[in-house]
Amino acid sequence: MTAVRDAVEPAPAGLAVPPFAVVPGAQVRQALDGREREIVDLVEATYRLHGAGQSVNPPSYFLRFPDRPTARIIALPASIGGAVRVDGLKWISSFPQNIDAGIPRASAVLILNDHDTGYPFACLEASVISATRTAASAALAADRLSRGRPRPTRIGFVGTGLIARYVHSYLARTGWSFDAVGVHDLSPDSAAGFRGYLERSGATGTVTVHDSAEELIRGSDLIVFATVASRPHVTDRSWFGHGPLVLHVSLRDLAPEILLDATNVVDDVEHCLKADTSPHLTEQLTGSRDFLAGTLDDVMAGRVTVPAGRTVVFSPFGLGVLDIAVGDFVYREVARTGQLHVVEDFFSELSRHG
Ligand SMILES: NC(=O)c1ccc[n+]([C@@H]2O[C@H](COP(=O)([O-])OP(=O)(O)OC[C@H]3O[C@@H](n4cnc5c(N)ncnc54)[C@H](O)[C@@H]3O)[C@@H](O)[C@H]2O)c1
């Protein structure tokens, strides 16, 4: 296919309409496979840019439906400055009932926009990009937040769908190995499916499926929450008496009492204290944000120190800038290998006066 760029006369300022490409999921997966350490570094660099104010990341917009109360579609627009200079939007659906039909809960596209003209130049399948940036952020947090304590060796997953699989895979591919892997899910099918994934992946450690979250939490020093719970279902502070590191990816599992006993780290304060997340409920309960230690960027920059021996909870709201950064990586990788599917004449009304 020919590039639209070649067919269009440059505007007086030297600007031109870029070609528009569609990047299917198979290409996204190929571009990301084996690149886990680079992606964790990219996510770290993006958090640092965001922390330095070199991004625009407005609040996510939640589209909800009176006739489908469990469903939602979220728009995450974002812009990355610095040397990256790319804008875009992730548009991601969550339809939990899909699971009963045997198809994934979440589906998504990512649009990338050209920095200079504003033109959209790519539409990428983004469920993989979203899961990847979430897992890379979790792996980064696991590393950074465990530096002042013995490295965890017993991991437990509460909620074992796609995100749990990506988080485990990112940890395993960035150097983590475990003596024990705990699994707990309300759905026995999900727990069995995740166990099957662990066995096929050659993961280290004895796998135990737990009937209760309590048993799993008490027996793990690194706990990943990846459920679809809409309100807290873990309320007993004594389960966390051993001071584990908690990656609270699903954001709404823990009661405020648990957070008030912990060192709390988020990705972005304004984002995370919204939409009835556990940190949001904790702010509502206490009337203050004093329970927050800071952001992961604060920890990476040494502005916040995480005490050893106390529960640490990382609650990442999930920033659109991460999707844009990973999507831009994928786009450049597919372009570099000469495999971009450009849609010819996607923008066709290019002369103002005809
Ligand atoms: N913070 C972020 O950046 C971010 C990014 C992506 C996804 N997420 C969240 O991660 C979560 C998991 O996503 P997914 O795609 O893996 O979903 P999924 O539907 O594939 O899996 C969720 C699993 O959680 C189980 N579950 C639900 N309630 C539970 C409970 N109370 N206890 C134990 N298990 C329970 C379900 O049975 C299911 O197996 C979602 O809440 C999603 O919104 C967060």
Side-chain angles (χ1 to χ4, degrees):
M1 295 189 201
T2 58
V4 176
R5 193 192 288 276
D6 299 338
V8 176
E9 267 186 36
L15 299 178
V17 173
F20 185 83
V22 173
V23 183
Q27 284 191 323
V28 173
R29 292 175 69 182
Q30 195 178 10
L32 292 170
D33 188 41
R35 312 296 287 272
E36 288 80 5
R37 283 184 193 273
E38 279 169 84
I39 298 299
V40 172
D41 289 347
L42 176 64
V43 163
E44 175 177 340
T46 308
Y47 275 142
R48 288 185 192 277
L49 276 177
H50 182 68
Q54 295 190 341
S55 66
V56 185
N57 202 134
S60 305
Y61 183 83
F62 285 65
L63 180 65
R64 297 186 192 274
F65 319 97
D67 60 332
R68 289 158 289 166
T70 62
R72 63 176 192 228
I73 311 181
I74 311 178
L76 293 86
S79 170
I80 308 180
V84 183
R85 299 188 355 144
V86 66
D87 312 324
L89 171 80
K90 180 174 73 169
W91 181 230
I92 182 161
S93 309
S94 171
F95 279 56
Q97 284 167 359
N98 286 0
I99 297 288
D100 299 334
I103 59 175
R105 176 188 61 82
S107 56
V109 292
L110 176 74
I111 301 291
L112 294 176
N113 292 76
D114 178 48
H115 177 274
D116 295 329
T117 61
Y119 266 78
F121 63 89
C123 175
L124 299 90
E125 193 287 330
S127 69
V128 171
I129 289 170
S130 186
T132 296
R133 64 79 150 141
T134 304
S137 152
L140 176 67
D143 176 31
R144 291 301 181 141
L145 299 177
S146 65
R147 286 196 178 179
R149 55 176 65 210
R151 194 159 159 100
T153 57
R154 293 167 297 139
I155 190 168
F157 290 87
V158 181
T160 53
L162 182 92
I163 294 295
R165 171 160 70 84
Y166 267 74
V167 170
H168 179 273
S169 151
Y170 252 76
L171 288 169
R173 290 180 177 206
T174 54
W176 289 79
S177 61
F178 301 101
D179 298 336
V181 183
V183 175
H184 170 69
D185 198 293
L186 293 182
S187 150
D189 284 353
S190 286
F194 190 68
R195 180 184 205 133
Y197 148 74
L198 289 171
E199 285 162 5
R200 283 192 307 280
S201 74
T204 59
T206 315
V207 180
T208 308
V209 176
H210 296 275
D211 290 338
S212 74
E214 175 179 2
E215 203 177 71
L216 177 141
I217 291 166
R218 287 188 186 277
S220 306
D221 47 12
L222 174 58
I223 301 156
V224 180
F225 282 91
T227 73
V228 285
S230 56
R231 63 184 69 87
H233 56 99
V234 174
T235 58
D236 191 331
R237 298 154 59 201
S238 70
W239 298 1
F240 297 83
H242 54 303
L245 170 55
V246 180
L247 305 176
H248 188 206
V249 178
S250 40
L251 293 164
R252 296 176 184 85
D253 302 86
L254 301 176
E257 301 88 284
I258 312 284
L259 267 56
L260 289 171
D261 256 6
T263 300
N264 289 283
V265 178
V266 297
D267 52 355
D268 179 293
V269 174
E270 292 304 329
H271 281 253
C272 205
L273 296 184
K274 283 201 173 75
D276 293 336
T277 63
S278 298
H280 188 204
L281 299 183
T282 308
E283 181 189 33
Q284 288 169 340
L285 183 73
T286 62
S288 112
R289 297 180 170 187
D290 292 350
F291 67 97
L292 291 179
T295 64
L296 187 58
D297 180 51
D298 289 332
V299 174
M300 294 190 302
R303 291 186 292 272
V304 165
T305 308
V306 176
R310 188 172 187 229
T311 301
V312 186
V313 178
F314 177 56
S315 300
F317 194 75
L319 300 179
V321 283
L322 299 187
D323 296 294
I324 304 296
V326 174
D328 182 58
F329 174 96
V330 169
Y331 176 85
R332 283 185 286 107
E333 191 58 24
V334 178
R336 187 183 64 77
T337 55
Q339 293 176 340
L340 273 182
H341 296 299
V342 171
V343 180
E344 264 182 87
D345 299 329
F346 188 83
F347 298 108
S348 68
E349 184 66 281
L350 297 176
S351 168
R352 260 185 97 209
H353 299 123

PDB file of all heavy atoms in Angstrom, residues 72 99 105 130 133-134 158-164 184-187 190 226-229 233 249-251 316-318, ligand 1:
ATOM      1  N   ARG A  72     -19.237  -0.589  31.162  1.00  0.00           N
ATOM      2  CA  ARG A  72     -18.750   0.791  31.049  1.00  0.00           C
ATOM      3  C   ARG A  72     -17.782   0.847  29.871  1.00  0.00           C
ATOM      4  O   ARG A  72     -17.209  -0.166  29.458  1.00  0.00           O
ATOM      5  CB  ARG A  72     -18.040   1.240  32.333  1.00  0.00           C
ATOM      6  CG  ARG A  72     -16.808   0.396  32.606  1.00  0.00           C
ATOM      7  CD  ARG A  72     -15.987   0.846  33.805  1.00  0.00           C
ATOM      8  NE  ARG A  72     -14.711   0.148  33.768  1.00  0.00           N
ATOM      9  CZ  ARG A  72     -14.140  -0.480  34.775  1.00  0.00           C
ATOM     10  NH1 ARG A  72     -14.683  -0.473  35.969  1.00  0.00           N
ATOM     11  NH2 ARG A  72     -12.978  -1.098  34.628  1.00  0.00           N
ATOM     12  N   ILE A  99     -17.582 -12.646  29.956  1.00  0.00           N
ATOM     13  CA  ILE A  99     -16.868 -13.825  30.478  1.00  0.00           C
ATOM     14  C   ILE A  99     -17.757 -15.070  30.376  1.00  0.00           C
ATOM     15  O   ILE A  99     -17.294 -16.148  29.996  1.00  0.00           O
ATOM     16  CB  ILE A  99     -16.455 -13.577  31.960  1.00  0.00           C
ATOM     17  CG1 ILE A  99     -15.483 -12.392  32.050  1.00  0.00           C
ATOM     18  CG2 ILE A  99     -15.861 -14.838  32.580  1.00  0.00           C
ATOM     19  CD1 ILE A  99     -14.100 -12.641  31.540  1.00  0.00           C
ATOM     20  N   ARG A 105     -13.497  -9.874  28.919  1.00  0.00           N
ATOM     21  CA  ARG A 105     -14.297  -8.780  29.484  1.00  0.00           C
ATOM     22  C   ARG A 105     -13.972  -7.453  28.804  1.00  0.00           C
ATOM     23  O   ARG A 105     -14.856  -6.678  28.450  1.00  0.00           O
ATOM     24  CB  ARG A 105     -13.948  -8.683  30.989  1.00  0.00           C
ATOM     25  CG  ARG A 105     -14.590  -7.549  31.739  1.00  0.00           C
ATOM     26  CD  ARG A 105     -13.999  -7.470  33.153  1.00  0.00           C
ATOM     27  NE  ARG A 105     -12.564  -7.221  33.107  1.00  0.00           N
ATOM     28  CZ  ARG A 105     -11.999  -6.031  32.945  1.00  0.00           C
ATOM     29  NH1 ARG A 105     -12.748  -4.954  32.850  1.00  0.00           N
ATOM     30  NH2 ARG A 105     -10.679  -5.896  32.879  1.00  0.00           N
ATOM     31  N   SER A 130      -3.091  -2.275  26.852  1.00  0.00           N
ATOM     32  CA  SER A 130      -3.565  -1.912  28.184  1.00  0.00           C
ATOM     33  C   SER A 130      -3.094  -2.920  29.233  1.00  0.00           C
ATOM     34  O   SER A 130      -2.591  -2.541  30.303  1.00  0.00           O
ATOM     35  CB  SER A 130      -5.098  -1.851  28.150  1.00  0.00           C
ATOM     36  OG  SER A 130      -5.583  -1.368  29.364  1.00  0.00           O
ATOM     37  N   ARG A 133       0.783  -2.467  29.701  1.00  0.00           N
ATOM     38  CA  ARG A 133       1.251  -1.325  30.514  1.00  0.00           C
ATOM     39  C   ARG A 133       0.861  -1.503  31.980  1.00  0.00           C
ATOM     40  O   ARG A 133       1.578  -1.085  32.892  1.00  0.00           O
ATOM     41  CB  ARG A 133       0.794   0.002  29.928  1.00  0.00           C
ATOM     42  CG  ARG A 133      -0.709   0.294  29.868  1.00  0.00           C
ATOM     43  CD  ARG A 133      -1.238   0.743  31.203  1.00  0.00           C
ATOM     44  NE  ARG A 133      -2.358   1.644  31.090  1.00  0.00           N
ATOM     45  CZ  ARG A 133      -3.415   1.611  31.890  1.00  0.00           C
ATOM     46  NH1 ARG A 133      -3.539   0.684  32.827  1.00  0.00           N
ATOM     47  NH2 ARG A 133      -4.363   2.522  31.753  1.00  0.00           N
ATOM     48  N   THR A 134      -0.278  -2.179  32.238  1.00  0.00           N
ATOM     49  CA  THR A 134      -0.704  -2.434  33.616  1.00  0.00           C
ATOM     50  C   THR A 134       0.268  -3.407  34.280  1.00  0.00           C
ATOM     51  O   THR A 134       0.690  -3.201  35.429  1.00  0.00           O
ATOM     52  CB  THR A 134      -2.130  -3.033  33.607  1.00  0.00           C
ATOM     53  OG1 THR A 134      -2.984  -2.129  32.904  1.00  0.00           O
ATOM     54  CG2 THR A 134      -2.644  -3.251  35.008  1.00  0.00           C
ATOM     55  N   VAL A 158      -5.367 -12.675  43.913  1.00  0.00           N
ATOM     56  CA  VAL A 158      -6.802 -12.665  44.205  1.00  0.00           C
ATOM     57  C   VAL A 158      -7.476 -12.115  42.950  1.00  0.00           C
ATOM     58  O   VAL A 158      -7.324 -10.939  42.621  1.00  0.00           O
ATOM     59  CB  VAL A 158      -7.130 -11.769  45.424  1.00  0.00           C
ATOM     60  CG1 VAL A 158      -8.640 -11.801  45.715  1.00  0.00           C
ATOM     61  CG2 VAL A 158      -6.330 -12.211  46.635  1.00  0.00           C
ATOM     62  N   GLY A 159      -8.220 -12.980  42.243  1.00  0.00           N
ATOM     63  CA  GLY A 159      -8.755 -12.609  40.930  1.00  0.00           C
ATOM     64  C   GLY A 159      -7.751 -13.050  39.882  1.00  0.00           C
ATOM     65  O   GLY A 159      -6.616 -12.547  39.841  1.00  0.00           O
ATOM     66  N   THR A 160      -8.169 -14.020  39.052  1.00  0.00           N
ATOM     67  CA  THR A 160      -7.181 -14.642  38.159  1.00  0.00           C
ATOM     68  C   THR A 160      -7.653 -14.650  36.712  1.00  0.00           C
ATOM     69  O   THR A 160      -7.820 -15.699  36.099  1.00  0.00           O
ATOM     70  CB  THR A 160      -6.868 -16.077  38.640  1.00  0.00           C
ATOM     71  OG1 THR A 160      -8.117 -16.778  38.781  1.00  0.00           O
ATOM     72  CG2 THR A 160      -6.139 -16.075  39.952  1.00  0.00           C
ATOM     73  N   GLY A 161      -7.901 -13.463  36.171  1.00  0.00           N
ATOM     74  CA  GLY A 161      -8.247 -13.327  34.758  1.00  0.00           C
ATOM     75  C   GLY A 161      -7.033 -12.908  33.941  1.00  0.00           C
ATOM     76  O   GLY A 161      -5.880 -13.214  34.270  1.00  0.00           O
ATOM     77  N   LEU A 162      -7.308 -12.155  32.891  1.00  0.00           N
ATOM     78  CA  LEU A 162      -6.254 -11.750  31.950  1.00  0.00           C
ATOM     79  C   LEU A 162      -5.171 -10.900  32.617  1.00  0.00           C
ATOM     80  O   LEU A 162      -3.967 -11.095  32.391  1.00  0.00           O
ATOM     81  CB  LEU A 162      -6.900 -10.942  30.809  1.00  0.00           C
ATOM     82  CG  LEU A 162      -5.946 -10.481  29.731  1.00  0.00           C
ATOM     83  CD1 LEU A 162      -5.899 -11.508  28.610  1.00  0.00           C
ATOM     84  CD2 LEU A 162      -6.356  -9.136  29.161  1.00  0.00           C
ATOM     85  N   ILE A 163      -5.596  -9.957  33.460  1.00  0.00           N
ATOM     86  CA  ILE A 163      -4.613  -9.046  34.067  1.00  0.00           C
ATOM     87  C   ILE A 163      -3.681  -9.810  35.003  1.00  0.00           C
ATOM     88  O   ILE A 163      -2.463  -9.589  34.999  1.00  0.00           O
ATOM     89  CB  ILE A 163      -5.329  -7.885  34.796  1.00  0.00           C
ATOM     90  CG1 ILE A 163      -6.072  -6.989  33.782  1.00  0.00           C
ATOM     91  CG2 ILE A 163      -4.353  -7.062  35.627  1.00  0.00           C
ATOM     92  CD1 ILE A 163      -5.194  -6.252  32.790  1.00  0.00           C
ATOM     93  N   ALA A 164      -4.235 -10.736  35.785  1.00  0.00           N
ATOM     94  CA  ALA A 164      -3.383 -11.547  36.671  1.00  0.00           C
ATOM     95  C   ALA A 164      -2.341 -12.300  35.837  1.00  0.00           C
ATOM     96  O   ALA A 164      -1.160 -12.367  36.201  1.00  0.00           O
ATOM     97  CB  ALA A 164      -4.242 -12.523  37.473  1.00  0.00           C
ATOM     98  N   HIS A 184      -6.512 -17.458  44.169  1.00  0.00           N
ATOM     99  CA  HIS A 184      -7.878 -17.441  44.708  1.00  0.00           C
ATOM    100  C   HIS A 184      -8.786 -16.675  43.758  1.00  0.00           C
ATOM    101  O   HIS A 184      -8.458 -15.569  43.339  1.00  0.00           O
ATOM    102  CB  HIS A 184      -7.924 -16.771  46.089  1.00  0.00           C
ATOM    103  CG  HIS A 184      -9.328 -16.528  46.555  1.00  0.00           C
ATOM    104  ND1 HIS A 184     -10.184 -17.567  46.899  1.00  0.00           N
ATOM    105  CD2 HIS A 184     -10.049 -15.386  46.691  1.00  0.00           C
ATOM    106  CE1 HIS A 184     -11.367 -17.055  47.230  1.00  0.00           C
ATOM    107  NE2 HIS A 184     -11.308 -15.747  47.110  1.00  0.00           N
ATOM    108  N   ASP A 185      -9.918 -17.288  43.413  1.00  0.00           N
ATOM    109  CA  ASP A 185     -10.901 -16.628  42.552  1.00  0.00           C
ATOM    110  C   ASP A 185     -12.285 -17.152  42.950  1.00  0.00           C
ATOM    111  O   ASP A 185     -12.424 -18.322  43.319  1.00  0.00           O
ATOM    112  CB  ASP A 185     -10.616 -16.950  41.071  1.00  0.00           C
ATOM    113  CG  ASP A 185     -11.298 -15.969  40.124  1.00  0.00           C
ATOM    114  OD1 ASP A 185     -12.556 -15.976  40.061  1.00  0.00           O
ATOM    115  OD2 ASP A 185     -10.598 -15.189  39.457  1.00  0.00           O
ATOM    116  N   LEU A 186     -13.275 -16.286  42.884  1.00  0.00           N
ATOM    117  CA  LEU A 186     -14.641 -16.728  43.169  1.00  0.00           C
ATOM    118  C   LEU A 186     -15.094 -17.777  42.166  1.00  0.00           C
ATOM    119  O   LEU A 186     -15.971 -18.584  42.465  1.00  0.00           O
ATOM    120  CB  LEU A 186     -15.616 -15.535  43.127  1.00  0.00           C
ATOM    121  CG  LEU A 186     -15.454 -14.465  44.208  1.00  0.00           C
ATOM    122  CD1 LEU A 186     -16.530 -13.397  44.046  1.00  0.00           C
ATOM    123  CD2 LEU A 186     -15.519 -15.090  45.602  1.00  0.00           C
ATOM    124  N   SER A 187     -14.529 -17.721  40.966  1.00  0.00           N
ATOM    125  CA  SER A 187     -14.893 -18.686  39.931  1.00  0.00           C
ATOM    126  C   SER A 187     -13.872 -19.819  39.891  1.00  0.00           C
ATOM    127  O   SER A 187     -12.695 -19.587  39.576  1.00  0.00           O
ATOM    128  CB  SER A 187     -14.951 -17.969  38.570  1.00  0.00           C
ATOM    129  OG  SER A 187     -14.628 -18.865  37.544  1.00  0.00           O
ATOM    130  N   SER A 190     -12.001 -19.925  36.604  1.00  0.00           N
ATOM    131  CA  SER A 190     -10.900 -18.964  36.453  1.00  0.00           C
ATOM    132  C   SER A 190      -9.663 -19.447  37.186  1.00  0.00           C
ATOM    133  O   SER A 190      -8.537 -19.366  36.664  1.00  0.00           O
ATOM    134  CB  SER A 190     -11.293 -17.589  37.007  1.00  0.00           C
ATOM    135  OG  SER A 190     -12.182 -16.948  36.158  1.00  0.00           O
ATOM    136  N   ALA A 226      -6.573  -8.555  41.336  1.00  0.00           N
ATOM    137  CA  ALA A 226      -7.004  -8.301  39.950  1.00  0.00           C
ATOM    138  C   ALA A 226      -8.395  -8.896  39.759  1.00  0.00           C
ATOM    139  O   ALA A 226      -8.613  -9.751  38.916  1.00  0.00           O
ATOM    140  CB  ALA A 226      -6.001  -8.885  38.961  1.00  0.00           C
ATOM    141  N   THR A 227      -9.309  -8.420  40.594  1.00  0.00           N
ATOM    142  CA  THR A 227     -10.699  -8.884  40.539  1.00  0.00           C
ATOM    143  C   THR A 227     -11.519  -7.874  39.734  1.00  0.00           C
ATOM    144  O   THR A 227     -10.976  -6.891  39.206  1.00  0.00           O
ATOM    145  CB  THR A 227     -11.301  -8.965  41.954  1.00  0.00           C
ATOM    146  OG1 THR A 227     -11.533  -7.633  42.426  1.00  0.00           O
ATOM    147  CG2 THR A 227     -10.378  -9.689  42.922  1.00  0.00           C
ATOM    148  N   VAL A 228     -12.836  -8.109  39.703  1.00  0.00           N
ATOM    149  CA  VAL A 228     -13.714  -7.061  39.173  1.00  0.00           C
ATOM    150  C   VAL A 228     -14.673  -6.596  40.281  1.00  0.00           C
ATOM    151  O   VAL A 228     -15.786  -6.157  40.008  1.00  0.00           O
ATOM    152  CB  VAL A 228     -14.504  -7.531  37.923  1.00  0.00           C
ATOM    153  CG1 VAL A 228     -13.598  -7.568  36.711  1.00  0.00           C
ATOM    154  CG2 VAL A 228     -15.149  -8.897  38.150  1.00  0.00           C
ATOM    155  N   ALA A 229     -14.221  -6.685  41.545  1.00  0.00           N
ATOM    156  CA  ALA A 229     -15.060  -6.262  42.676  1.00  0.00           C
ATOM    157  C   ALA A 229     -15.336  -4.759  42.566  1.00  0.00           C
ATOM    158  O   ALA A 229     -14.432  -3.981  42.269  1.00  0.00           O
ATOM    159  CB  ALA A 229     -14.356  -6.572  43.986  1.00  0.00           C
ATOM    160  N   HIS A 233     -14.208  -6.032  49.662  1.00  0.00           N
ATOM    161  CA  HIS A 233     -14.625  -7.328  50.198  1.00  0.00           C
ATOM    162  C   HIS A 233     -13.564  -7.882  51.141  1.00  0.00           C
ATOM    163  O   HIS A 233     -13.730  -8.965  51.695  1.00  0.00           O
ATOM    164  CB  HIS A 233     -14.901  -8.321  49.057  1.00  0.00           C
ATOM    165  CG  HIS A 233     -13.740  -8.506  48.125  1.00  0.00           C
ATOM    166  ND1 HIS A 233     -12.875  -9.563  48.203  1.00  0.00           N
ATOM    167  CD2 HIS A 233     -13.275  -7.722  47.119  1.00  0.00           C
ATOM    168  CE1 HIS A 233     -11.944  -9.436  47.259  1.00  0.00           C
ATOM    169  NE2 HIS A 233     -12.159  -8.326  46.599  1.00  0.00           N
ATOM    170  N   VAL A 249      -4.230  -3.703  41.966  1.00  0.00           N
ATOM    171  CA  VAL A 249      -4.468  -3.299  40.573  1.00  0.00           C
ATOM    172  C   VAL A 249      -5.958  -3.044  40.317  1.00  0.00           C
ATOM    173  O   VAL A 249      -6.318  -2.151  39.547  1.00  0.00           O
ATOM    174  CB  VAL A 249      -3.917  -4.385  39.610  1.00  0.00           C
ATOM    175  CG1 VAL A 249      -4.198  -4.031  38.162  1.00  0.00           C
ATOM    176  CG2 VAL A 249      -2.424  -4.567  39.828  1.00  0.00           C
ATOM    177  N   SER A 250      -6.815  -3.828  40.976  1.00  0.00           N
ATOM    178  CA  SER A 250      -8.254  -3.660  40.717  1.00  0.00           C
ATOM    179  C   SER A 250      -8.901  -2.581  41.599  1.00  0.00           C
ATOM    180  O   SER A 250     -10.096  -2.289  41.424  1.00  0.00           O
ATOM    181  CB  SER A 250      -8.988  -5.001  40.802  1.00  0.00           C
ATOM    182  OG  SER A 250      -8.523  -5.799  41.858  1.00  0.00           O
ATOM    183  N   LEU A 251      -8.158  -2.006  42.507  1.00  0.00           N
ATOM    184  CA  LEU A 251      -8.467  -0.704  43.117  1.00  0.00           C
ATOM    185  C   LEU A 251      -9.629  -0.638  44.111  1.00  0.00           C
ATOM    186  O   LEU A 251      -9.740   0.331  44.849  1.00  0.00           O
ATOM    187  CB  LEU A 251      -8.765   0.350  42.023  1.00  0.00           C
ATOM    188  CG  LEU A 251      -7.611   0.745  41.129  1.00  0.00           C
ATOM    189  CD1 LEU A 251      -8.144   1.479  39.881  1.00  0.00           C
ATOM    190  CD2 LEU A 251      -6.634   1.649  41.868  1.00  0.00           C
ATOM    191  N   PRO A 316      -2.665   1.673  41.502  1.00  0.00           N
ATOM    192  CA  PRO A 316      -2.452   2.420  40.259  1.00  0.00           C
ATOM    193  C   PRO A 316      -3.771   2.643  39.531  1.00  0.00           C
ATOM    194  O   PRO A 316      -4.433   1.673  39.144  1.00  0.00           O
ATOM    195  CB  PRO A 316      -1.549   1.471  39.459  1.00  0.00           C
ATOM    196  CG  PRO A 316      -1.980   0.095  39.906  1.00  0.00           C
ATOM    197  CD  PRO A 316      -2.542   0.211  41.298  1.00  0.00           C
ATOM    198  N   PHE A 317      -4.156   3.888  39.357  1.00  0.00           N
ATOM    199  CA  PHE A 317      -5.429   4.138  38.667  1.00  0.00           C
ATOM    200  C   PHE A 317      -5.351   3.694  37.208  1.00  0.00           C
ATOM    201  O   PHE A 317      -6.330   3.263  36.624  1.00  0.00           O
ATOM    202  CB  PHE A 317      -5.789   5.625  38.755  1.00  0.00           C
ATOM    203  CG  PHE A 317      -7.223   5.883  38.377  1.00  0.00           C
ATOM    204  CD1 PHE A 317      -8.249   5.565  39.239  1.00  0.00           C
ATOM    205  CD2 PHE A 317      -7.546   6.412  37.134  1.00  0.00           C
ATOM    206  CE1 PHE A 317      -9.576   5.767  38.887  1.00  0.00           C
ATOM    207  CE2 PHE A 317      -8.863   6.625  36.775  1.00  0.00           C
ATOM    208  CZ  PHE A 317      -9.888   6.310  37.656  1.00  0.00           C
ATOM    209  N   GLY A 318      -4.119   3.791  36.673  1.00  0.00           N
ATOM    210  CA  GLY A 318      -3.929   3.432  35.257  1.00  0.00           C
ATOM    211  C   GLY A 318      -3.980   4.704  34.428  1.00  0.00           C
ATOM    212  O   GLY A 318      -5.045   5.247  34.187  1.00  0.00           O
TER     213      GLY A 318
HETATM  214  N1  LIG B   1      -5.350  -0.165  37.533  1.00  0.00           N
HETATM  215  C1  LIG B   1      -5.178  -0.394  36.246  1.00  0.00           C
HETATM  216  O1  LIG B   1      -4.394   0.266  35.567  1.00  0.00           O
HETATM  217  C2  LIG B   1      -5.943  -1.478  35.565  1.00  0.00           C
HETATM  218  C3  LIG B   1      -5.723  -1.766  34.228  1.00  0.00           C
HETATM  219  C4  LIG B   1      -6.399  -2.814  33.606  1.00  0.00           C
HETATM  220  C5  LIG B   1      -7.330  -3.547  34.357  1.00  0.00           C
HETATM  221  N2  LIG B   1      -7.552  -3.212  35.653  1.00  0.00           N
HETATM  222  C6  LIG B   1      -8.536  -3.940  36.449  1.00  0.00           C
HETATM  223  O2  LIG B   1      -8.043  -5.238  36.693  1.00  0.00           O
HETATM  224  C7  LIG B   1      -9.164  -6.061  37.013  1.00  0.00           C
HETATM  225  C8  LIG B   1      -9.019  -7.433  36.382  1.00  0.00           C
HETATM  226  O3  LIG B   1      -9.131  -7.321  34.966  1.00  0.00           O
HETATM  227  P1  LIG B   1      -9.194  -8.665  34.072  1.00  0.00           P
HETATM  228  O4  LIG B   1      -9.193  -8.220  32.659  1.00  0.00           O
HETATM  229  O5  LIG B   1      -8.188  -9.636  34.535  1.00  0.00           O
HETATM  230  O6  LIG B   1     -10.648  -9.192  34.451  1.00  0.00           O
HETATM  231  P2  LIG B   1     -11.252 -10.645  34.264  1.00  0.00           P
HETATM  232  O7  LIG B   1     -12.723 -10.474  34.203  1.00  0.00           O
HETATM  233  O8  LIG B   1     -10.526 -11.384  33.181  1.00  0.00           O
HETATM  234  O9  LIG B   1     -10.879 -11.386  35.632  1.00  0.00           O
HETATM  235  C9  LIG B   1     -11.362 -10.952  36.884  1.00  0.00           C
HETATM  236  C10 LIG B   1     -11.468 -12.161  37.810  1.00  0.00           C
HETATM  237  O10 LIG B   1     -11.788 -11.707  39.132  1.00  0.00           O
HETATM  238  C11 LIG B   1     -12.649 -12.689  39.727  1.00  0.00           C
HETATM  239  N3  LIG B   1     -13.312 -12.077  40.874  1.00  0.00           N
HETATM  240  C12 LIG B   1     -14.300 -11.150  40.863  1.00  0.00           C
HETATM  241  N4  LIG B   1     -14.607 -10.795  42.125  1.00  0.00           N
HETATM  242  C13 LIG B   1     -13.767 -11.488  42.935  1.00  0.00           C
HETATM  243  C14 LIG B   1     -13.569 -11.536  44.338  1.00  0.00           C
HETATM  244  N5  LIG B   1     -14.289 -10.776  45.170  1.00  0.00           N
HETATM  245  N6  LIG B   1     -12.624 -12.364  44.832  1.00  0.00           N
HETATM  246  C15 LIG B   1     -11.872 -13.141  43.995  1.00  0.00           C
HETATM  247  N7  LIG B   1     -12.010 -13.136  42.655  1.00  0.00           N
HETATM  248  C16 LIG B   1     -12.947 -12.319  42.141  1.00  0.00           C
HETATM  249  C17 LIG B   1     -13.560 -13.109  38.596  1.00  0.00           C
HETATM  250  O11 LIG B   1     -14.165 -14.358  38.847  1.00  0.00           O
HETATM  251  C18 LIG B   1     -12.571 -13.154  37.412  1.00  0.00           C
HETATM  252  O12 LIG B   1     -12.012 -14.437  37.243  1.00  0.00           O
HETATM  253  C19 LIG B   1     -10.413  -5.264  36.591  1.00  0.00           C
HETATM  254  O13 LIG B   1     -11.028  -4.741  37.753  1.00  0.00           O
HETATM  255  C20 LIG B   1      -9.855  -4.153  35.769  1.00  0.00           C
HETATM  256  O14 LIG B   1     -10.661  -2.990  35.803  1.00  0.00           O
HETATM  257  C21 LIG B   1      -6.870  -2.217  36.266  1.00  0.00           C
END
